[in-house]
Amino acid sequence: MNYILKNLNMFGSDCRVIYIENGVISSKFNYDSSHCEEIDCGGLTAFPGFVDVHVHLREPGFSYKETIKTGSLAGAAGGYTALGAMPNLSPVPDCPENLDMQLKLIEKDAAICVMPYGSITLGEKGEKLSDMEGMAESVIAFSDDGKGVQDEGIMRAAMEKAKSLGRIIAAHCEDESLLFGGCIHDGEYARSHNIPGISSESEWRQIERDIRLAADTGCAYHVCHVSAKESVELIRDAKKSGVDITCETAPHYLVFNDTQLKDLGSFRMNPPIRSEGDRLALIDGILDGTVDMIATDHAPHSKEEKSRGLTGSLNGIVGLETAFPVLYTKLVKAGVITLQKLIELMHFNPCRRFGIDMGTAPGQAAGLTLFDLDREYIINPADFQSMGRSTPFAGMAVTGRCLMTVCGDKIPWRQI
């Protein structure tokens, strides 16, 4: 299907009409309206489709939590047109045969562009390298997300192999020797409620190691879900020294601090929500370019798995359908960052780093989303397209509702 999108306000340009021909943004000024669908966008604001390089779609292996179909539709409902799917699945995509199971599900069910990660190690066990070479042409990058690679020799070998293949290592950085059974940040809430804490050192100590390895190997290195101020400083210094490094943080680290925790599974994630000093350091990192992008770490679980409070619930919250409205409300409208910066964090920077050619420029695969930036509402998980319902943003008043998302020649989300 071809589309003419009329009466829209393209962010950053004076464009009011977009013509999509065979899934590609056309530069034509003349078109045959009899061979396309005309859509009046009613003056809505159009953005290039958001890109989340860190989501958990749970399939194959854990379809009781989420499926590629429901997770990608949740992405479309949140304004996303491309998702990077993490490899903590069953089977783990650690060889072409296992990866092929995921690729077939993506081809059959994905509502938007879904790009799988291959694992760094076999079974994400951290002992032997996966068949990185066999998977390289079919994956966005390599990661053992959910676990940090504990063995330095294994991580060095992975970086050397990734460098030779022209692929990124995206690391979940966590030194397991420094966890001590913690489940939330080792801060004010943990001490006052006598709950074991997770130190910031468990994150930044492994980032420090990996920066040294990335400098030695020349590998393109990406740090997942940065949460601690020390991590920001290490990454800032590494960039200044010429290391090929980027990083992401997540909306919950930018909005909450550990004094705002509640004894609910919806506040349990890894890494944990940290102190106000950490939150402010992340914002400083966004403002000076140290933090390159925002990813949700969308990680759905069943209702029962998230019903055991802070100490008993599994790690992970959902975020695809709340990211933009939360960040627009709490950061842009509050004057913390500009809307241009937010779009850089959610589209341009992840596209640039991970080689994704999708957007609103002529010749690109169509990837755009339309928002009513004046629509006010209360976040209600019952409205989610995701099977996951656990979010610390439940009940929050926000502004900005996604009303349509276009991905290639499909419109997977349409409320106009």
Side-chain angles (χ1 to χ4, degrees):
M1 175 66 75
N2 297 335
Y3 303 99
I4 305 167
L5 306 184
K6 294 184 174 182
N7 193 22
L8 55 76
N9 289 300
M10 176 57 66
F11 179 74
S13 82
D14 58 2
C15 177
R16 295 293 179 265
V17 178
I18 288 179
Y19 177 42
I20 300 169
E21 185 176 28
N22 299 319
V24 175
I25 302 294
S26 177
S27 59
K28 293 180 180 178
F29 292 99
N30 297 312
Y31 42 80
D32 184 354
S33 60
S34 66
H35 290 84
C36 59
E37 180 183 357
E38 292 192 22
I39 301 174
D40 187 339
C41 298
L44 295 173
T45 301
F47 299 106
F50 307 144
V51 175
D52 190 339
V53 299
H54 192 140
V55 302
H56 299 268
L57 298 183
R58 304 302 194 198
E59 199 176 29
F62 305 97
S63 56
Y64 72 95
K65 301 174 188 274
E66 187 82 286
T67 65
I68 288 169
K69 183 176 181 179
T70 59
S72 61
L73 183 58
Y80 289 90
T81 53
L83 306 175
M86 285 298 176
N88 50 343
L89 304 167
S90 181
V92 173
D94 55 11
C95 63
E97 294 76 18
N98 289 349
L99 177 63
D100 190 56
M101 294 176 62
Q102 185 183 10
L103 290 171
K104 287 179 178 177
L105 287 167
I106 290 169
E107 183 178 6
K108 179 170 72 77
D109 291 335
I112 57 176
C113 179
V114 173
M115 307 163 293
Y117 280 80
S119 68
I120 294 173
T121 64
L122 289 174
E124 288 196 321
K125 295 180 179 179
E127 297 170 354
K128 296 181 179 179
L129 291 186
S130 67
D131 184 359
M132 296 172 70
E133 187 167 358
M135 296 186 289
E137 294 303 313
S138 301
V139 298
I140 185 177
F142 294 100
S143 180
D144 268 7
D145 187 62
K147 300 177 181 179
V149 177
Q150 303 302 301
D151 186 277
E152 180 172 330
I154 293 292
M155 184 55 104
R156 180 182 289 273
M159 287 189 177
E160 290 172 344
K161 176 59 74 171
K163 170 67 173 178
S164 72
L165 296 170
R167 287 292 181 267
I168 294 169
I169 291 288
H172 173 117
C173 290
E174 185 173 45
D175 186 331
E176 293 175 1
S177 70
L178 299 172
L179 294 180
F180 308 116
C183 60
I184 60 174
H185 176 59
D186 185 17
E188 182 176 331
Y189 187 98
R191 289 188 288 272
S192 64
H193 290 77
N194 197 30
I195 297 175
I198 299 174
S199 70
S200 297
E201 186 178 4
S202 64
E203 174 180 297
W204 66 257
R205 186 65 74 181
Q206 198 162 88
I207 293 175
E208 184 178 55
R209 179 203 72 180
D210 285 358
I211 287 172
R212 173 169 48 81
L213 295 177
D216 288 348
T217 62
C219 172
Y221 176 63
H222 179 77
V223 188
C224 297
H225 44 50
V226 170
S227 69
K229 58 182 181 290
E230 295 91 346
S231 302
V232 176
E233 190 60 34
L234 284 166
I235 294 165
R236 179 180 289 118
D237 289 344
K239 287 189 172 189
K240 291 177 181 176
S241 68
V243 177
D244 186 359
I245 183 172
T246 52
C247 72
E248 70 194 42
T249 193
H252 39 282
Y253 305 125
L254 297 169
V255 172
F256 294 115
N257 63 51
D258 70 325
T259 68
Q260 299 167 297
L261 292 176
K262 298 177 182 179
D263 189 14
L264 299 170
S266 54
F267 282 82
R268 172 75 184 263
M269 72 287 292
N270 187 32
I273 292 167
R274 298 199 186 273
S275 72
E276 179 67 1
D278 294 298
R279 188 185 76 85
L280 294 175
L282 289 166
I283 290 173
D284 286 343
I286 283 174
L287 293 172
D288 72 9
T290 300
V291 176
D292 302 273
M293 60 197 79
I294 294 175
T296 65
D297 196 4
H298 176 88
H301 293 290
S302 70
K303 182 178 180 180
E304 193 279 329
E305 289 168 335
K306 294 298 289 183
S307 66
R308 308 168 196 156
L310 282 173
T311 59
S313 296
L314 295 184
N315 288 314
I317 61 171
V318 295
L320 286 169
E321 294 167 82
T322 57
F324 181 86
V326 165
L327 295 168
Y328 179 67
T329 303
K330 297 297 184 180
L331 298 186
V332 176
K333 287 180 69 68
V336 178
I337 66 173
T338 65
L339 184 54
Q340 176 65 43
K341 171 61 77 171
L342 182 58
I343 302 307
E344 289 173 5
L345 294 162
M346 296 185 71
H347 173 79
F348 291 106
N349 290 353
C351 284
R352 186 177 302 114
R353 179 57 161 173
F354 286 85
I356 301 163
D357 188 16
M358 174 179 281
T360 57
Q364 282 190 311
L368 67 145
T369 184
L370 295 167
F371 271 78
D372 181 347
L373 293 181
D374 297 320
R375 182 78 64 90
E376 298 178 351
Y377 60 102
I378 304 296
I379 291 175
N380 181 359
D383 297 333
F384 289 171
Q385 301 303 305
S386 171
M387 291 168 62
R389 295 290 187 268
S390 188
T391 170
F393 301 117
M396 180 178 287
V398 294
T399 303
R401 175 77 83 175
C402 179
L403 296 182
M404 193 167 81
T405 298
V406 182
C407 184
D409 61 356
K410 299 183 294 183
I411 302 181
W413 182 251
R414 183 172 178 179
Q415 302 292 297
I416 59 173

